[in-house]
Amino acid sequence: MKIKVNSNFSLIETVTCGQIFRFFLQEDGSYDIILKDRIINVSQKGNYLTVFSNNNKDLLTNVTNYFDLNNDYDYIDNFLIKSDKKIEDAVIKSRGMNLINQDPFEVCISYIVSANNSVLSISKSINEIARRWGEKVLFDDKTYYLFPEYCALKDVSIQEYKECKVGFRDKYIYNFVKRVNDNQSYLQSIYSLSTDEALLSLMQSPGIGPKVASCILLFAYQKYDVFPVDTWVKKIFKNIYGIENESNIRAFAKKTYGKYSGVAIQYLFHTSRNK
DNA sequence: CCTCAGGGCTCTC
DNA sequence: GAGAGCCCTGAG
């Protein structure tokens, strides 16, 4: 299937900028990506994406939503540049990088695993969790595993998570899975909360602090006003703006980038990381 | 063979 | 609000 995209959209930037952990570069330059309920193979030529999948049900809707193709990034980019001259460079360098809309449960577990952890380790752990408890899918002669639904993890023990090399985060995952299974509308209920309410609610789970909660809201719940502050962000703000502590960074971001703080931070982060 | 930090969080003081 | 400890992995 072919999908027309905005001329600025960049598949490579969007896939590789660090927001998703389960994508696989193919020899022809296309990507196999694991979505909630299917595998897609996707490549870009000019203004068109070519997409293959093992599951063609509502494929256009799913892919459009996943890559956030209906959002007006030209508007957001202009908004940010107008708000802050110093971000213009980052906006231009990141142009085409959309925020991917991922499945909330997978994002929650992935970012609990991400705390004080490297991208490679995170990917390995998530892939192992999927291999053990997710649905097996054969796609183009390759074997992939969907990320398991929370109910599939209901009886998994702390020890079994440990075997997935998640280290001290084993009990955090166990606890979160229990929370979600005990209250099956919990993940859905986050959508209707304000950003601050959602942050507080998520942070009630051990292992979810401000950074992890922010990432969850940004990557799974389309709350673009959240602002993850981690060690990288601190370095960036020290270098570009001379702003040092976290509360000063937050105040500046809120005042300057407003409801698009989360997009701004992705751009700044991405640009700095590529250096 | 080490040693160390990595896109944090919890617990304690 | 500052600091130690956490657990695994790859880089040096």
Side-chain angles (χ1 to χ4, degrees):
Chain A
M1 184 180 69
K2 282 196 184 305
I3 302 176
K4 194 169 194 312
V5 294
N6 181 299
S7 58
N8 285 328
F9 177 76
S10 165
L11 178 67
I12 293 179
E13 294 288 323
T14 300
V15 168
T16 63
C17 70
Q19 50 185 333
I20 57 174
F21 298 106
R22 305 186 72 212
F23 63 94
F24 305 90
L25 180 62
Q26 305 299 298
E27 284 184 1
D28 64 358
S30 67
Y31 293 98
D32 282 357
I33 306 175
I34 303 175
L35 274 54
K36 180 182 169 61
D37 61 349
R38 71 194 74 198
I39 315 297
I40 60 170
N41 172 270
V42 57
S43 56
Q44 179 174 17
K45 250 188 193 163
N47 291 4
Y48 286 91
L49 296 182
T50 301
V51 182
F52 301 100
S53 179
N54 66 311
N55 173 1
N56 287 315
K57 184 171 185 294
D58 300 324
L59 185 60
L60 175 63
T61 307
N62 272 274
V63 173
T64 300
N65 179 56
Y66 183 75
F67 289 118
D68 206 23
L69 296 175
N70 285 342
N71 204 349
D72 189 350
Y73 281 89
D74 288 338
Y75 172 82
I76 297 174
D77 290 356
N78 288 329
F79 174 94
L80 291 175
I81 291 171
K82 259 189 279 179
S83 310
D84 171 25
K85 278 221 180 319
K86 286 187 180 174
I87 203 177
E88 182 163 6
D89 183 53
V91 172
I92 289 167
K93 283 183 180 153
S94 306
R95 192 149 265 177
M97 193 197 87
N98 283 16
L99 286 174
I100 292 179
N101 294 317
Q102 305 178 56
D103 174 60
F105 181 62
E106 178 172 353
V107 171
C108 290
I109 302 302
S110 300
Y111 280 88
I112 289 173
V113 173
S114 81
N116 191 239
N117 207 348
S118 66
V119 174
L120 187 59
S121 290
I122 300 164
S123 303
K124 282 184 178 171
S125 291
I126 298 168
N127 283 325
E128 180 61 14
I129 288 171
R131 192 188 68 77
R132 288 186 178 219
W133 299 291
E135 183 187 328
K136 183 177 180 176
V137 177
L138 289 174
F139 179 67
D140 193 25
D141 293 334
K142 288 159 283 186
T143 302
Y144 290 112
Y145 295 87
L146 302 180
F147 195 80
E149 306 256 7
Y150 58 81
C151 41
L153 299 181
K154 193 159 67 79
D155 297 318
V156 175
S157 66
I158 295 179
Q159 176 59 32
E160 288 173 293
Y161 292 126
K162 202 177 203 56
E163 288 162 14
C164 300
K165 313 291 185 193
V166 299
F168 59 87
R169 309 161 193 87
D170 53 0
K171 54 192 177 297
Y172 302 152
I173 299 172
Y174 177 85
N175 187 293
F176 188 81
V177 168
K178 180 165 171 29
R179 182 181 185 184
V180 171
N181 275 291
D182 286 349
N183 177 1
Q184 304 213 358
S185 59
Y186 178 66
L187 288 171
Q188 189 64 30
S189 73
I190 301 282
Y191 282 107
S192 58
L193 298 179
S194 73
T195 298
D196 286 342
E197 289 169 341
L199 285 170
L200 287 175
S201 175
L202 285 168
M203 290 192 308
Q204 283 170 8
S205 286
I208 301 182
K211 159 66 168 63
V212 170
S214 298
C215 286
I216 292 169
L217 294 182
L218 192 57
F219 297 136
Y221 288 100
Q222 295 91 50
K223 295 195 186 291
Y224 296 133
D225 56 333
V226 296
F227 198 72
V229 176
D230 56 29
T231 50
W232 278 93
V233 174
K234 285 176 185 165
K235 279 180 204 164
I236 293 166
F237 272 81
K238 191 178 172 189
N239 291 340
I240 302 182
Y241 300 95
I243 300 175
E244 291 248 19
N245 76 56
E246 179 168 341
S247 58
N248 288 337
I249 293 172
R250 287 195 175 282
F252 174 85
K254 188 171 184 181
K255 179 164 71 79
T256 310
Y257 310 127
K259 61 181 174 177
Y260 295 122
S261 293
V263 184
I265 205 61
Q266 274 303 105
Y267 287 170
L268 288 166
F269 180 70
H270 171 249
T271 309
S272 149
R273 192 162 161 264
N274 275 9
K275 275 182 193 162

